[in-house]
Amino acid sequence: CVGNLGKLPIHVATDCRETSLVNIVKLLQIYPDAAKCPTEPYVYSDGFRSSFVDPAGDLPIHLACKKSNPDMELITKLLDLHPQSLLIANKRDHNKFWRLRGSTPLECIKHFAEDDNRHEIVSRMCKHISDRPCFQSGRLLLHEAIDQPLSLEIMQKVLNAAPYMVSRRDPKTKLYPFMQAATQATENSRIDMIFELLRTDPSLLISATRRKLVGVPTTTTTAIAYPKVESQRRRKGRVRSLMMKS
C-alpha cells in the first residue's frame, strides 16, 4: 500500500489525471493482479487523533471510470486483465461519491462521464467482452448482467453489444435470457427487460409456448409461458395428495 491510504500504486496512478498511460501500463506489467485489487480500509492519523476511513472499495477500473473523460484505452487494458470487473460493484462510500454506493464501472460511467461520449464508452466496454465466456461456468456478459440490479438503459447497451446472446442459454441455469429475467421479475424495470429480450428474438417465445426448448424442463417452460395454468396444476396436485392421505 501507499503510506496508510489503503491503496496500491495502480490505484493512485489510475486516480490521478496527470499520470500517463505508459506509466500505468508499466505498473500493470509488473503486477497484473493489481487490476483485481480493491482499495482497502485504513486508519488516518493527523498526529493528534486517528480516524477509521472506509473507502469505496474501488477496483482500478472504477477509478478509471470516475472521470468526466475516461481513457478508453486504459479501460480496455484493465478489462483484458480482469474482464469480470465490468459487473463488479464497489461498496459503500462515505465521501463525495456517496451517491455511487454499490456501483459497477458501467454505472460510474453513467454518473461521471460527459453526455457526449457516455453512451459510446459504455457500448465499447460491453462489446469488448460480450463475445467471450469470461465469467464463471462459461457464462456470457448478458447472463451475468441479468443477475445484477442494472438499469434498463445499461441493459440495453449490454444487449446491443451482441444481440445473438439473447438466444444463448445460460450454462448455469440452462435457461434462455428472457426466462432467466422472468424468474426475477419483481418490478417494472424487469418486465421491460423481458420485453426487450423477446423483441430482439420473438421466435424464442414461440418455441417456449410450443414446449420445444431443447434441454429445458417442460415444467419450467410451462411456468414461464403459462404461469396461471402452472399454478392451477400445482394447486390441484396438492389437493389430490391431501385427499389420498386422508
Side-chain angles (χ1 to χ4, degrees):
C1 295
V2 179
N4 62 346
L5 298 180
K7 298 180 179 180
L8 294 173
I10 187 63
H11 295 127
V12 178
T14 306
D15 198 24
C16 181
R17 297 178 181 273
E18 284 133 26
T19 307
S20 66
L21 179 62
V22 176
N23 292 331
I24 296 177
V25 171
K26 288 181 179 179
L27 289 173
L28 291 173
Q29 289 174 345
I30 295 172
Y31 184 41
D33 285 344
K36 303 177 183 179
C37 299
T39 54
E40 297 180 351
Y42 63 94
V43 176
Y44 172 78
S45 176
D46 58 3
F48 298 96
R49 61 179 182 177
S50 298
S51 57
F52 179 78
V53 180
D54 188 8
D58 289 318
L59 295 169
I61 193 171
H62 286 104
L63 299 173
C65 292
K66 287 182 177 181
K67 296 178 180 178
S68 58
N69 189 21
D71 189 335
M72 190 60 208
E73 190 174 353
L74 171 59
I75 293 174
T76 300
K77 292 185 180 299
L78 292 170
L79 284 175
D80 287 336
L81 292 172
H82 188 26
Q84 297 91 340
S85 64
L86 185 65
L87 294 178
I88 293 179
N90 57 11
K91 60 182 182 180
R92 184 173 180 175
D93 189 4
H94 297 284
N95 50 39
K96 62 180 179 179
F97 298 124
W98 60 269
R99 60 176 180 159
L100 289 182
R101 294 175 181 174
S103 297
T104 63
L106 293 174
E107 292 166 313
C108 290
I109 291 287
K110 179 181 177 182
H111 285 286
F112 280 86
E114 296 176 354
D115 294 338
D116 296 339
N117 57 0
R118 178 190 307 164
H119 299 293
E120 180 183 356
I121 293 175
V122 171
S123 297
R124 290 176 63 183
M125 290 170 67
C126 293
K127 287 181 180 179
H128 189 68
I129 66 170
S130 60
D131 58 345
R132 291 185 285 173
C134 50
F135 294 91
Q136 190 175 8
S137 303
R139 304 180 92 193
L140 296 173
L141 175 62
L142 181 60
H143 302 141
E144 197 73 22
I146 291 175
D147 287 343
Q148 305 292 331
L150 300 176
S151 65
L152 181 62
E153 178 185 356
I154 293 179
M155 282 299 304
Q156 287 174 332
K157 298 294 182 183
V158 173
L159 183 58
N160 293 337
Y164 74 89
M165 290 189 294
V166 76
S167 60
R168 298 289 181 88
R169 282 181 291 165
D170 180 6
K172 182 179 178 181
T173 63
K174 308 302 180 184
L175 298 176
Y176 283 94
F178 85 92
M179 291 180 168
Q180 185 185 348
T183 61
Q184 306 171 12
T186 57
E187 52 187 27
N188 291 334
S189 60
R190 286 286 167 172
I191 297 174
D192 293 338
M193 185 192 306
I194 298 171
F195 175 75
E196 288 295 329
L197 292 168
L198 288 174
R199 190 174 68 168
T200 304
D201 189 359
S203 64
L204 292 173
L205 183 59
I206 298 174
S207 299
T209 55
R210 292 177 180 174
R211 304 181 189 179
K212 292 183 179 180
L213 291 172
V214 180
V216 178
T218 303
T219 54
T220 303
T221 306
T222 307
I224 294 173
Y226 305 100
K228 292 184 179 179
V229 174
E230 182 65 15
S231 62
Q232 290 175 0
R233 287 181 180 177
R234 291 178 179 174
R235 195 179 305 114
K236 289 180 181 179
R238 287 196 297 267
V239 173
R240 191 179 298 111
S241 62
L242 290 173
M243 291 177 63
M244 293 177 65
K245 289 180 181 179
S246 61

